[in-house]
Amino acid sequence: KITFTPIKPHGQKEMVGVIAILQDVTEEEKLDRQRKDFVANVSHELRTPLTTIKSYLEALEDGAIHDPDLSVRFLKVARQEADRMTRLINDLLHLSRLDAKQARFHKKAIHLREMLEDVVDRFSVQCKQKDISISLQILTSLTYVYADRDKMDQVLDNLVSNAVKYTPEGGKITIYARRRLNGMVEISIKDTGIGIPKKDLGRIFERFYRVDKARSRSMGGTGLGLAIAQEIVRAHEGEIWIDSEYQKGTTVSFTLPPCEPEVIG
Ligand code: ADP
């Protein structure tokens, strides 16, 4: 935006100059657009399950309630949709606490191997059901990282659950931990899943951005998992990024600070 202000010295008719003010409004406009898109997205994401619940309840009222099989099916759908709304609201509350810097981080020495073995355990049943192998490769001798364990579990759960969601039966998930040259610890979750097209990669951490909305929804996704992971990683002074090859697989990596020996204990 450019604003021109004529300069006329007091009491004179003649204009002696012009002040031009250059203002970069692109960032402001971008933030404004993002805020509006966010509100529109939230409304849409909440209305979709509500519409489904309402239509199934109406069908029950219109007579389906007298058919025991149909009633069981319809009630199940309504409950699943209510569960989706709960997940979405929980994710939104979580994000808003992170945005407002109100989320409390209890950082301390966390045993790296233990944290990663626990996440593998949490997903082993789900992986077995889909015939996906899940394994861990720790390529560093470092024992501890400096992090908030609950928040880190949430990052790992979001990333590993994505890997499971977007990897077809018979696939493979590997979690790596290695030390980077700058000392940070890098954790990567690699899958042999459906991958992400190049054109979508740049926007994948945006709130509600999904490559395939219908697929994400049918998998129970809220479209906020990566955005939450990014906020938590940044609050640990780390970085998060994604490499992917469409129809080959995806690797999501993030860094965490190591724990210096004097902090332990
Ligand atoms: P969702 O709840 O939809 O999974 P996320 O924020 O966790 O939301 O991820 C955003 C989108 O990124 C997903 O909808 C999906 O399109 C893509 N994505 C994330 N992780 C993977 C992965 N491991 N493989 C393929 N696509 C992925």
Side-chain angles (χ1 to χ4, degrees), residues 120-133:
V120 171
D121 286 347
R122 283 201 292 284
F123 282 91
S124 63
V125 173
Q126 224 176 310
C127 285
K128 214 179 218 135
Q129 281 167 353
K130 261 185 105 177
D131 189 27
I132 291 173
S133 74

Side-chain angles (χ1 to χ4, degrees), residues 162-163 165-166 191 194-196 204 209-212 216 221-227 250:
N162 277 349
K165 271 192 284 188
Y166 302 110
D191 66 55
I194 60 171
I196 300 169
I204 215 73
Y209 193 84
R210 293 124 144 179
V211 175
D212 180 343
S216 155
T222 62
L224 296 174
L226 285 179
T250 302

Side-chain angles (χ1 to χ4, degrees), residues 6 10 15 26 34 43 49-50 76 96 124 130 173 176 182 190 206 235 246 264:
H10 190 66
M15 189 170 81
T26 45
Q34 278 177 353
S43 316
L50 258 187
K76 188 174 169 203
S96 91
S124 63
K130 261 185 105 177
I173 297 172
Y176 294 93
N182 65 2
K190 181 174 188 227
E206 283 178 24
Y246 189 49
I264 300 166

Side-chain angles (χ1 to χ4, degrees), residues 91 158-167 189-191 193-197 200 203-213 215-217 219-228 242 244 249-252:
D91 278 359
N158 286 358
L159 303 183
V160 178
S161 77
N162 277 349
V164 179
K165 271 192 284 188
Y166 302 110
T167 298
I189 291 98
K190 181 174 188 227
D191 66 55
I194 60 171
I196 300 169
D200 297 294
R203 299 190 60 189
I204 215 73
F205 287 97
E206 283 178 24
R207 296 167 189 200
F208 293 118
Y209 193 84
R210 293 124 144 179
V211 175
D212 180 343
K213 273 200 160 63
R215 181 175 209 141
S216 155
R217 281 214 192 91
M219 296 283 182
T222 62
L224 296 174
L226 285 179
I228 291 176
I242 195 158
S244 188
T250 302
T251 305
V252 187

Side-chain angles (χ1 to χ4, degrees), residues 13-195:
K13 283 194 185 137
E14 291 285 301
M15 189 170 81
V16 297
V18 174
I19 298 176
I21 301 168
L22 289 165
Q23 211 180 346
D24 185 359
V25 289
T26 45
E27 193 57 26
E28 262 173 58
E29 272 171 10
K30 198 174 137 201
L31 283 176
D32 194 45
R33 187 174 46 81
Q34 278 177 353
R35 191 183 48 78
K36 284 183 184 147
D37 285 353
F38 183 69
V39 174
N41 275 324
V42 170
S43 316
H44 178 76
E45 294 295 329
L46 285 172
R47 204 179 47 193
T48 311
L50 258 187
T51 310
T52 313
I53 291 173
K54 200 161 160 262
S55 62
Y56 278 80
L57 290 179
E58 279 166 3
L60 284 166
E61 262 179 353
D62 289 347
I65 196 153
H66 301 298
D67 179 330
D69 288 346
L70 266 189
S71 339
V72 169
R73 267 173 46 206
F74 286 10
L75 286 172
K76 188 174 169 203
V77 175
R79 192 191 37 77
Q80 283 170 339
E81 292 298 298
D83 287 345
R84 167 201 300 290
M85 291 179 77
T86 308
R87 265 201 312 276
L88 183 64
I89 289 167
N90 285 340
D91 278 359
L92 284 168
L93 283 173
H94 201 123
L95 259 180
S96 91
R97 260 183 250 126
L98 289 164
D99 281 344
K101 309 268 179 267
Q102 278 169 353
R104 287 190 193 290
F105 284 82
H106 303 285
K107 294 180 196 167
K108 55 182 187 178
I110 303 292
H111 198 281
L112 181 64
R113 178 178 289 278
E114 204 176 278
M115 176 172 79
L116 298 178
E117 280 175 351
D118 285 353
V119 66
V120 171
D121 286 347
R122 283 201 292 284
F123 282 91
S124 63
V125 173
Q126 224 176 310
C127 285
K128 214 179 218 135
Q129 281 167 353
K130 261 185 105 177
D131 189 27
I132 291 173
S133 74
I134 180 163
S135 61
L136 181 61
Q137 288 216 26
I138 299 192
L139 311 168
T140 168
S141 57
L142 183 89
T143 315
Y144 295 97
V145 288
Y146 187 62
D148 177 313
R149 175 70 200 256
D150 286 345
K151 300 274 193 308
M152 264 314 120
D153 281 348
Q154 183 163 19
V155 172
L156 290 164
D157 286 355
N158 286 358
L159 303 183
V160 178
S161 77
N162 277 349
V164 179
K165 271 192 284 188
Y166 302 110
T167 298
E169 297 208 345
K172 192 174 159 193
I173 297 172
T174 316
I175 303 178
Y176 294 93
R178 51 171 77 88
R179 197 86 189 261
R180 288 176 77 95
L181 285 176
N182 65 2
M184 295 289 272
V185 179
E186 179 184 314
I187 297 172
S188 309
I189 291 98
K190 181 174 188 227
D191 66 55
T192 57
I194 60 171

